[in-house]
Amino acid sequence: MPELPEVETVCRGLRPVMENNMITRVEQRRLNLRIPFPGDFVARLENSTVKSLWRRAKYILAELDSGDVLLMHLGMSGRFTIEEPQIPKKSSKGQQPGMFHREEAISKGSTHDHVVFHMSNGAVITYTDPRRFGLMTLIGAKQLHNHKLLKDIGIEPLGNELSGAYLAQSFCDKKTNLKTALLDQKFIAGLGNIYVCESLYRARLSPKRLAATLAKKNAEANNRADMLAEAIRNVLTDAVAAGGSSLNDYAQTNGELGYFQHSFDVYDREGEPCKRNRCPGKIRRIVQSGRSSFYCPRCQR
DNA sequence: CATGCCCCCTGCACGC
DNA sequence: TGCGTGCAGGGGGCAT
């Protein structure tokens, strides 16, 4: 499922075909995804030009010359496919699991293709989302920062603000465990279940640990907070790098963005051995706030 | 205000 | 083999 690194990858993939291009035609095939489309969605998009495209948390935002911002979220199963004119055909050999080729994508289509953008450069961008947990809406640029979906979102984990001190400060009076605190979007934006599990593993911190224990005023707590901040940054940076490289391969053979293989250290590895050198632990799964947590009880404390 | 839980929806992994 | 069941997941919104 798309998490922050996938959303970043999709954003980078969309940028060259959307930025500085006009949306000439929009096909909107249903009235809602997770939330209703604005009633004038198509009218407000057609004949407007995308000035810039960026990511905030797991949202993709496109600023239009009309003064609107197009806000998009991939939810659980959302993806974009780009068809560009005059791309040489490639052999269908060697495609990665879960991906399908441009030719198949075109001929098949899908009942889950909900929105199609036709761009002035000839690119056709299709949004597909079987589970419809994604969303698209339009916001006036001036209202952007007050919009309910964006106004309470915390810092970007790949920006400069993430530090041990920030985590300690944010969690000092939290009564929940670390896992729950890290998933709370008002502290760190865009951290999802997978990368919280992976970050805690890298920092050797138990998801069950009380969040406030990062804030004790002693050297050990400071160190833990620093380790966690570093782990979050590294996990996400690595994943973006992995997505970026496979995106290049992918975009040349077919247009679908944002699906690539990851290997995780703990996520979805219940019962399997801990990957840490010489650690005899087995990965355990527990449920916290209704979500699965995967961790090594032996080396995460 | 802080926290917990439900729910939106479909594909998929199970078990019989 | 085929069918039914239950679960996963982001995150808003509501109840507590």
Side-chain angles (χ1 to χ4, degrees), chain A residues 179-263:
Chain A
K179 170 72 182 308
T180 306
L182 287 171
L183 281 177
D184 189 333
Q185 299 294 300
K186 71 172 175 289
F187 297 113
I188 305 178
L191 268 195
N193 201 34
I194 293 174
Y195 291 106
V196 167
C197 291
E198 295 296 310
S199 300
L200 287 170
Y201 173 76
R202 282 213 200 181
R204 307 181 71 140
L205 293 170
S206 168
K208 296 193 287 189
R209 171 186 279 276
L210 286 179
T213 62
L214 294 189
K216 283 184 188 160
K217 291 188 167 39
N218 62 49
E220 196 199 340
N222 287 342
N223 186 44
R224 280 196 292 258
D226 287 341
M227 295 273 287
L228 180 55
E230 195 61 17
I232 292 167
R233 193 189 318 280
N234 288 341
V235 162
L236 293 176
T237 301
D238 289 355
V240 170
S245 60
S246 62
L247 173 64
N248 289 338
D249 303 338
Y250 201 174
Q252 287 167 18
T253 54
N254 59 57
E256 190 178 322
L257 299 176
Y259 264 43
F260 40 87
Q261 302 297 309
H262 285 305
S263 61

XYZ file of all heavy atoms in Angstrom, chain A residues 179-263:
642
model
N 4.289 3.187 19.440
C 3.665 2.866 18.159
C 2.505 3.799 17.862
O 2.419 4.407 16.791
C 3.191 1.406 18.189
C 2.312 0.978 17.020
C 3.113 0.862 15.759
C 2.261 0.494 14.556
N 1.426 -0.670 14.719
N 1.608 3.922 18.824
C 0.440 4.772 18.646
C 0.847 6.239 18.477
O 0.305 6.949 17.620
C -0.515 4.626 19.849
O -0.811 3.236 20.020
C -1.804 5.382 19.631
N 1.807 6.676 19.263
C 2.247 8.080 19.193
C 2.854 8.391 17.821
O 2.618 9.453 17.252
C 3.249 8.370 20.302
N 3.615 7.448 17.282
C 4.264 7.696 15.990
C 3.261 7.701 14.835
O 3.489 8.341 13.816
C 5.344 6.644 15.725
C 6.607 6.781 16.568
C 7.504 5.566 16.393
C 7.371 8.054 16.221
N 2.169 6.961 14.999
C 1.140 6.946 13.948
C 0.282 8.208 13.975
O -0.426 8.494 13.006
C 0.236 5.722 14.114
C 0.763 4.387 13.605
C -0.238 3.280 13.914
C 1.059 4.432 12.119
N 0.329 8.941 15.074
C -0.505 10.136 15.215
C 0.008 11.231 14.276
O 1.097 11.773 14.455
C -0.474 10.608 16.675
C -1.497 11.704 16.938
O -1.850 12.433 15.997
O -1.940 11.817 18.090
N -0.810 11.559 13.275
C -0.362 12.451 12.202
C -0.078 13.873 12.658
O 0.537 14.647 11.933
C -1.399 12.463 11.077
C -1.621 11.094 10.455
C -0.397 10.583 9.729
O 0.083 11.206 8.792
N 0.139 9.438 10.160
N -0.550 14.236 13.853
C -0.328 15.625 14.248
C 1.081 15.863 14.787
O 1.485 17.013 14.975
C -1.393 16.095 15.242
C -1.351 15.528 16.620
C -2.389 16.299 17.458
C -2.529 15.722 18.842
N -3.195 14.404 18.838
N 1.838 14.797 14.983
C 3.239 14.968 15.364
C 4.155 14.812 14.151
O 4.948 15.682 13.842
C 3.630 13.977 16.457
C 2.850 14.189 17.710
C 1.944 13.236 18.155
C 2.992 15.365 18.436
C 1.206 13.452 19.309
C 2.252 15.598 19.589
C 1.355 14.632 20.023
N 4.025 13.665 13.488
C 4.827 13.434 12.280
C 3.884 13.093 11.140
O 3.022 12.231 11.264
C 5.843 12.293 12.495
C 6.724 12.585 13.715
C 6.705 12.125 11.251
C 7.714 11.497 14.024
N 4.062 13.756 10.017
C 3.150 13.612 8.885
C 3.525 12.403 8.035
O 4.682 12.222 7.671
C 3.204 14.868 8.025
N 2.543 11.582 7.742
C 2.735 10.581 6.717
C 3.393 9.284 7.143
O 3.650 8.420 6.315
N 3.663 9.151 8.426
C 4.203 7.863 8.892
C 3.059 6.874 9.004
O 2.099 7.117 9.712
C 4.853 8.009 10.272
C 6.331 8.321 10.366
C 6.809 8.046 11.787
C 7.149 7.519 9.372
N 3.165 5.755 8.331
C 2.134 4.730 8.379
C 2.612 3.499 9.121
O 3.728 3.451 9.652
N 1.761 2.505 9.126
C 2.015 1.321 9.945
C 3.340 0.638 9.607
O 4.108 0.271 10.494
C 0.852 0.347 9.754
C 0.749 -0.636 10.900
O 1.037 -0.298 12.041
N 0.359 -1.851 10.588
N 3.612 0.481 8.339
C 4.809 -0.252 7.947
C 6.080 0.445 8.419
O 6.950 -0.166 9.057
C 4.873 -0.408 6.409
C 3.735 -1.312 5.926
C 6.224 -0.978 5.974
C 3.621 -1.410 4.424
N 6.168 1.733 8.117
C 7.426 2.422 8.409
C 7.591 2.758 9.879
O 8.722 2.932 10.349
C 7.586 3.643 7.489
C 7.814 3.192 6.072
C 6.832 3.285 5.113
C 9.008 2.566 5.723
C 7.036 2.807 3.826
C 9.223 2.081 4.442
C 8.234 2.208 3.501
O 8.436 1.718 2.238
N 6.513 2.797 10.628
C 6.645 2.908 12.083
C 7.271 1.618 12.624
O 8.212 1.663 13.409
C 5.287 3.193 12.751
C 5.386 2.995 14.261
C 4.830 4.613 12.440
N 6.761 0.490 12.176
C 7.335 -0.800 12.609
C 8.818 -0.873 12.254
O 9.655 -1.265 13.078
C 6.597 -1.965 11.946
S 4.906 -2.211 12.522
N 9.145 -0.508 11.030
C 10.535 -0.605 10.573
C 11.448 0.366 11.325
O 12.583 0.032 11.664
C 10.593 -0.328 9.065
C 9.867 -1.372 8.215
C 10.493 -2.757 8.311
O 11.721 -2.877 8.141
O 9.749 -3.719 8.579
N 10.935 1.560 11.591
C 11.740 2.555 12.309
C 12.022 2.112 13.736
O 13.151 2.250 14.233
C 11.021 3.908 12.333
O 10.805 4.380 11.025
N 11.004 1.579 14.402
C 11.195 1.132 15.783
C 12.189 -0.024 15.836
O 12.988 -0.125 16.768
C 9.849 0.733 16.399
C 8.933 1.909 16.742
C 7.542 1.409 17.120
C 9.516 2.735 17.877
N 12.123 -0.868 14.816
C 13.074 -1.974 14.759
C 14.506 -1.447 14.620
O 15.416 -1.857 15.344
C 12.730 -2.899 13.592
C 13.754 -3.980 13.354
C 13.815 -5.091 14.187
C 14.660 -3.890 12.309
C 14.759 -6.081 13.977
C 15.601 -4.868 12.090
C 15.646 -5.963 12.929
O 16.588 -6.937 12.718
N 14.695 -0.519 13.708
C 16.048 0.017 13.510
C 16.558 0.724 14.754
O 17.759 0.693 15.036
C 16.071 1.008 12.348
C 16.079 0.330 11.014
C 16.870 1.135 9.992
N 16.457 0.725 8.651
C 16.971 1.210 7.536
N 17.909 2.148 7.601
N 16.554 0.783 6.373
N 15.649 1.363 15.474
C 16.057 2.091 16.688
C 16.108 1.165 17.899
O 16.451 1.616 18.997
C 15.097 3.254 16.942
N 15.753 -0.095 17.701
C 15.748 -1.096 18.772
C 14.841 -0.710 19.921
O 15.142 -0.981 21.092
C 17.175 -1.351 19.283
C 18.149 -1.693 18.169
C 19.515 -1.960 18.694
N 19.531 -3.242 19.410
C 20.522 -4.118 19.346
N 21.588 -3.862 18.614
N 20.469 -5.239 20.018
N 13.713 -0.094 19.574
C 12.761 0.320 20.601
C 11.483 -0.490 20.462
O 10.971 -0.684 19.347
C 12.443 1.812 20.464
C 13.616 2.758 20.766
C 13.276 4.187 20.355
C 13.988 2.686 22.248
N 10.949 -0.938 21.584
C 9.713 -1.711 21.556
C 8.530 -0.815 21.231
O 8.416 0.290 21.760
C 9.488 -2.365 22.920
O 8.164 -2.876 22.982
N 7.612 -1.304 20.372
C 6.396 -0.529 20.101
C 5.540 -0.354 21.358
O 4.688 0.530 21.401
C 5.665 -1.371 19.045
C 6.241 -2.740 19.170
C 7.662 -2.562 19.625
N 5.781 -1.198 22.360
C 4.974 -1.132 23.586
C 5.499 -0.119 24.601
O 4.819 0.221 25.559
C 4.933 -2.521 24.254
C 4.232 -3.561 23.388
C 3.920 -4.822 24.160
C 5.161 -5.635 24.432
N 4.823 -6.976 25.009
N 6.706 0.325 24.379
C 7.312 1.303 25.302
C 6.449 2.565 25.392
O 5.924 3.033 24.400
C 8.707 1.657 24.787
C 9.381 2.797 25.497
C 10.671 3.144 24.806
N 11.757 2.244 25.180
C 12.500 2.393 26.272
N 12.277 3.396 27.096
N 13.466 1.543 26.532
N 6.329 3.121 26.574
C 5.584 4.364 26.721
C 6.304 5.490 25.973
O 7.522 5.666 26.125
C 5.444 4.748 28.196
C 4.443 3.932 29.016
C 4.421 4.414 30.456
C 3.046 4.014 28.408
N 5.543 6.239 25.187
C 6.139 7.309 24.380
C 6.885 8.309 25.251
O 7.940 8.825 24.863
C 5.048 8.008 23.572
N 6.362 8.552 26.425
C 6.961 9.581 27.300
C 8.355 9.192 27.799
O 9.096 10.059 28.268
C 6.042 9.864 28.470
N 8.716 7.926 27.667
C 10.050 7.542 28.144
C 11.160 8.086 27.252
O 12.328 8.011 27.615
C 10.213 6.005 28.231
O 10.063 5.450 26.920
C 9.196 5.400 29.183
N 10.787 8.626 26.083
C 11.801 9.287 25.259
C 12.136 10.671 25.796
O 13.101 11.298 25.374
C 11.325 9.453 23.813
C 11.101 8.209 22.977
C 10.849 8.598 21.538
C 12.290 7.273 23.073
N 11.300 11.147 26.706
C 11.407 12.551 27.133
C 12.049 12.716 28.497
O 12.179 13.828 28.982
C 10.013 13.177 27.152
N 12.434 11.621 29.126
C 13.108 11.759 30.425
C 14.383 12.574 30.244
O 15.076 12.467 29.234
C 13.452 10.387 30.995
C 12.257 9.671 31.584
C 12.702 8.356 32.215
C 11.494 7.537 32.642
N 11.837 6.120 32.805
N 14.678 13.343 31.241
C 15.842 14.229 31.123
C 17.112 13.509 31.578
O 17.715 13.839 32.587
C 15.619 15.497 31.951
C 14.530 16.399 31.375
C 14.489 17.711 32.117
C 13.673 18.786 31.449
N 12.456 18.379 30.827
N 17.469 12.497 30.825
C 18.751 11.848 31.104
C 19.384 11.414 29.781
O 18.738 11.411 28.742
C 18.581 10.660 32.069
C 17.680 9.578 31.482
O 17.863 9.158 30.331
N 16.710 9.126 32.256
N 20.628 11.074 29.864
C 21.399 10.805 28.646
C 20.826 9.624 27.872
O 20.774 9.642 26.639
C 22.863 10.540 29.007
N 20.352 8.608 28.587
C 19.845 7.422 27.915
C 18.592 7.749 27.098
O 18.456 7.316 25.949
C 19.542 6.328 28.954
C 19.376 4.957 28.328
C 18.649 3.998 29.256
O 18.613 4.266 30.474
O 18.113 2.996 28.743
N 17.689 8.519 27.697
C 16.465 8.888 26.988
C 16.782 9.778 25.794
O 16.223 9.609 24.704
C 15.493 9.601 27.934
N 17.690 10.714 25.968
C 18.093 11.582 24.856
C 18.643 10.758 23.707
O 18.338 10.992 22.534
C 19.170 12.579 25.312
C 18.581 13.659 26.195
O 17.364 13.868 26.204
N 19.436 14.324 26.950
N 19.446 9.788 24.069
C 20.049 8.933 23.059
C 18.978 8.137 22.299
O 19.031 8.023 21.085
C 21.053 7.998 23.727
C 21.823 7.195 22.703
O 22.264 7.753 21.693
N 21.975 5.909 22.944
N 18.017 7.591 23.060
C 16.929 6.833 22.423
C 16.154 7.709 21.458
O 15.807 7.295 20.356
C 15.974 6.285 23.493
C 16.467 5.036 24.167
C 15.336 4.343 24.891
N 14.849 5.102 26.030
C 15.147 4.840 27.291
N 15.937 3.827 27.592
N 14.653 5.571 28.266
N 15.854 8.927 21.880
C 15.090 9.843 21.024
C 15.881 10.165 19.753
O 15.326 10.181 18.647
C 14.748 11.118 21.789
N 17.160 10.396 19.917
C 18.002 10.679 18.740
C 18.047 9.478 17.798
O 17.972 9.619 16.574
C 19.433 11.036 19.176
C 19.504 12.414 19.803
O 18.571 13.230 19.578
O 20.475 12.694 20.537
N 18.197 8.291 18.386
C 18.249 7.063 17.579
C 16.961 6.889 16.781
O 16.990 6.487 15.607
C 18.420 5.833 18.487
C 19.724 5.787 19.237
S 21.014 5.001 18.264
C 20.491 3.291 18.336
N 15.843 7.174 17.419
C 14.552 6.992 16.743
C 14.397 7.990 15.599
O 13.970 7.619 14.497
C 13.407 7.127 17.749
C 12.001 6.951 17.178
C 11.867 5.609 16.455
C 10.956 7.054 18.288
N 14.747 9.234 15.853
C 14.656 10.247 14.793
C 15.518 9.833 13.599
O 15.089 9.918 12.438
C 15.092 11.614 15.318
N 16.701 9.374 13.891
C 17.624 8.936 12.847
C 17.069 7.720 12.095
O 17.166 7.628 10.864
C 18.975 8.604 13.501
C 20.135 8.485 12.542
C 20.404 9.770 11.778
O 19.923 10.843 12.205
O 21.070 9.691 10.732
N 16.503 6.788 12.853
C 15.950 5.575 12.238
C 14.806 5.915 11.292
O 14.721 5.374 10.185
C 15.465 4.614 13.329
N 13.933 6.813 11.711
C 12.802 7.215 10.862
C 13.322 7.816 9.563
O 12.893 7.455 8.467
C 11.903 8.231 11.602
C 11.184 7.558 12.777
C 10.885 8.853 10.646
C 10.527 8.533 13.743
N 14.268 8.707 9.707
C 14.815 9.374 8.523
C 15.467 8.359 7.577
O 15.255 8.381 6.369
C 15.841 10.424 8.956
C 16.249 11.379 7.843
C 17.420 12.265 8.247
N 17.327 12.779 9.594
C 16.572 13.817 9.933
N 15.863 14.426 9.021
N 16.514 14.220 11.184
N 16.239 7.448 8.148
C 16.955 6.474 7.316
C 16.011 5.500 6.619
O 16.188 5.180 5.444
C 17.958 5.690 8.168
C 19.144 6.544 8.565
O 19.412 7.573 7.946
N 19.841 6.130 9.619
N 15.025 5.020 7.352
C 14.078 4.065 6.774
C 13.351 4.693 5.584
O 13.221 4.092 4.513
C 13.069 3.591 7.851
C 11.843 2.963 7.215
C 13.732 2.602 8.798
N 12.908 5.924 5.777
C 12.163 6.589 4.700
C 13.068 6.950 3.528
O 12.688 6.799 2.362
C 11.470 7.845 5.239
C 10.355 7.596 6.251
C 9.815 8.915 6.786
C 9.227 6.780 5.649
N 14.265 7.417 3.838
C 15.209 7.783 2.781
C 15.559 6.567 1.928
O 15.582 6.634 0.693
C 16.490 8.383 3.388
O 16.131 9.532 4.158
C 17.464 8.809 2.302
N 15.810 5.448 2.593
C 16.120 4.218 1.857
C 14.961 3.799 0.962
O 15.161 3.373 -0.177
C 16.429 3.070 2.839
C 17.760 3.261 3.539
O 18.485 4.228 3.195
O 18.080 2.461 4.445
N 13.755 3.916 1.491
C 12.584 3.476 0.720
C 12.340 4.389 -0.474
O 11.980 3.922 -1.555
C 11.350 3.430 1.613
N 12.542 5.688 -0.283
C 12.396 6.614 -1.413
C 13.431 6.286 -2.480
O 13.128 6.247 -3.681
C 12.526 8.087 -0.964
C 12.624 9.014 -2.172
C 11.348 8.496 -0.096
N 14.650 6.001 -2.029
C 15.720 5.666 -2.984
C 15.373 4.396 -3.750
O 15.546 4.324 -4.968
C 17.039 5.500 -2.247
N 14.849 3.397 -3.063
C 14.469 2.142 -3.719
C 13.349 2.385 -4.719
O 13.364 1.851 -5.830
C 14.027 1.114 -2.685
N 12.376 3.188 -4.345
C 11.259 3.497 -5.235
C 11.723 4.283 -6.441
O 11.295 4.039 -7.558
N 12.605 5.222 -6.198
C 13.104 6.051 -7.290
C 13.792 5.231 -8.351
O 13.562 5.431 -9.542
N 14.584 4.261 -7.945
C 15.313 3.479 -8.936
C 14.392 2.550 -9.708
O 14.517 2.415 -10.919
C 16.440 2.692 -8.279
O 15.929 1.818 -7.313
N 13.442 1.925 -8.997
C 12.572 1.008 -9.741
C 11.556 1.787 -10.566
O 11.083 1.306 -11.577
C 11.866 0.017 -8.812
O 11.041 0.676 -7.909
N 11.268 3.011 -10.140
C 10.358 3.830 -10.943
C 10.929 4.050 -12.341
O 10.224 3.987 -13.330
C 10.126 5.181 -10.266
C 9.316 6.196 -11.086
C 7.906 5.689 -11.321
C 9.293 7.545 -10.411
N 12.242 4.291 -12.408
C 12.863 4.499 -13.707
C 12.648 3.305 -14.625
O 12.260 3.451 -15.770
C 14.368 4.740 -13.534
C 14.622 6.095 -12.900
O 13.765 6.974 -12.980
N 15.756 6.246 -12.274
N 12.907 2.112 -14.085
C 12.711 0.909 -14.891
C 11.257 0.786 -15.322
O 10.947 0.524 -16.470
C 13.068 -0.340 -14.079
C 14.494 -0.254 -13.575
O 15.282 0.496 -14.177
O 14.812 -0.927 -12.584
N 10.426 1.006 -14.346
C 9.009 0.777 -14.542
C 8.415 1.737 -15.569
O 7.690 1.350 -16.474
C 8.316 0.965 -13.196
C 6.985 0.303 -13.095
C 6.275 0.276 -11.908
C 6.410 -0.284 -14.213
C 5.060 -0.322 -11.826
C 5.192 -0.885 -14.142
C 4.511 -0.908 -12.947
O 3.297 -1.503 -12.867
N 8.780 2.993 -15.420
C 8.172 4.008 -16.279
C 8.558 3.792 -17.739
O 7.874 4.249 -18.633
C 8.584 5.400 -15.818
N 9.642 3.079 -17.979
C 10.042 2.850 -19.361
C 9.311 1.667 -19.998
O 9.178 1.607 -21.205
C 11.555 2.594 -19.421
C 12.342 3.887 -19.196
C 13.794 3.619 -18.947
O 14.290 2.540 -19.259
N 14.487 4.580 -18.377
N 8.856 0.739 -19.168
C 8.196 -0.438 -19.743
C 6.686 -0.326 -19.679
O 5.990 -0.890 -20.488
C 8.614 -1.720 -19.009
O 8.376 -1.544 -17.617
C 10.076 -2.022 -19.245
N 6.191 0.383 -18.713
C 4.748 0.625 -18.633
C 4.565 1.869 -17.809
O 5.495 2.369 -17.211
C 4.038 -0.573 -18.004
C 4.565 -0.838 -16.623
O 4.520 0.040 -15.782
N 5.064 -2.026 -16.382
N 3.383 2.375 -17.763
C 3.239 3.690 -17.169
C 2.851 3.712 -15.710
O 2.695 4.762 -15.122
N 2.695 2.538 -15.112
C 2.135 2.560 -13.768
C 3.169 2.991 -12.742
O 4.308 2.556 -12.759
C 1.609 1.167 -13.416
C 0.812 1.162 -12.150
C 0.264 -0.212 -11.847
O -0.132 -0.902 -12.805
O 0.257 -0.584 -10.684
N 2.728 3.840 -11.857
C 3.633 4.407 -10.868
C 3.347 3.851 -9.476
O 2.221 3.551 -9.147
C 3.458 5.920 -10.809
C 3.756 6.693 -12.073
C 3.428 8.157 -11.840
C 5.199 6.524 -12.455
N 4.366 3.772 -8.689
C 4.157 3.651 -7.251
C 4.063 2.235 -6.721
O 3.861 2.048 -5.540
N 4.186 1.246 -7.580
C 4.188 -0.121 -7.072
C 5.570 -0.698 -7.259
O 6.048 -0.874 -8.364
C 3.179 -0.989 -7.835
C 1.862 -1.094 -7.140
C 1.285 0.036 -6.577
C 1.213 -2.312 -7.027
C 0.076 -0.043 -5.933
C -0.005 -2.400 -6.380
C -0.570 -1.262 -5.835
O -1.766 -1.347 -5.198
N 6.230 -0.993 -6.173
C 7.529 -1.607 -6.297
C 7.760 -2.488 -5.079
O 7.104 -2.353 -4.051
C 8.631 -0.573 -6.449
C 8.462 0.640 -5.593
C 8.943 0.659 -4.305
C 7.805 1.745 -6.089
C 8.772 1.788 -3.521
C 7.627 2.861 -5.304
C 8.114 2.885 -4.010
N 8.681 -3.381 -5.208
C 8.902 -4.367 -4.159
C 9.786 -3.784 -3.066
O 10.786 -3.160 -3.319
C 9.580 -5.611 -4.751
C 8.785 -6.241 -5.858
C 7.453 -6.738 -5.373
O 7.395 -7.453 -4.383
N 6.377 -6.360 -6.043
N 9.386 -4.041 -1.844
C 10.227 -3.687 -0.711
C 10.560 -4.953 0.047
O 9.782 -5.886 0.066
C 9.478 -2.780 0.252
C 9.337 -1.394 -0.247
N 10.393 -0.627 -0.637
C 8.238 -0.630 -0.416
C 9.950 0.554 -1.020
N 8.657 0.580 -0.906
N 11.696 -4.959 0.656
C 11.928 -6.009 1.629
C 11.957 -5.340 2.997
O 12.656 -4.354 3.201
C 13.248 -6.713 1.352
O 14.309 -5.795 1.442
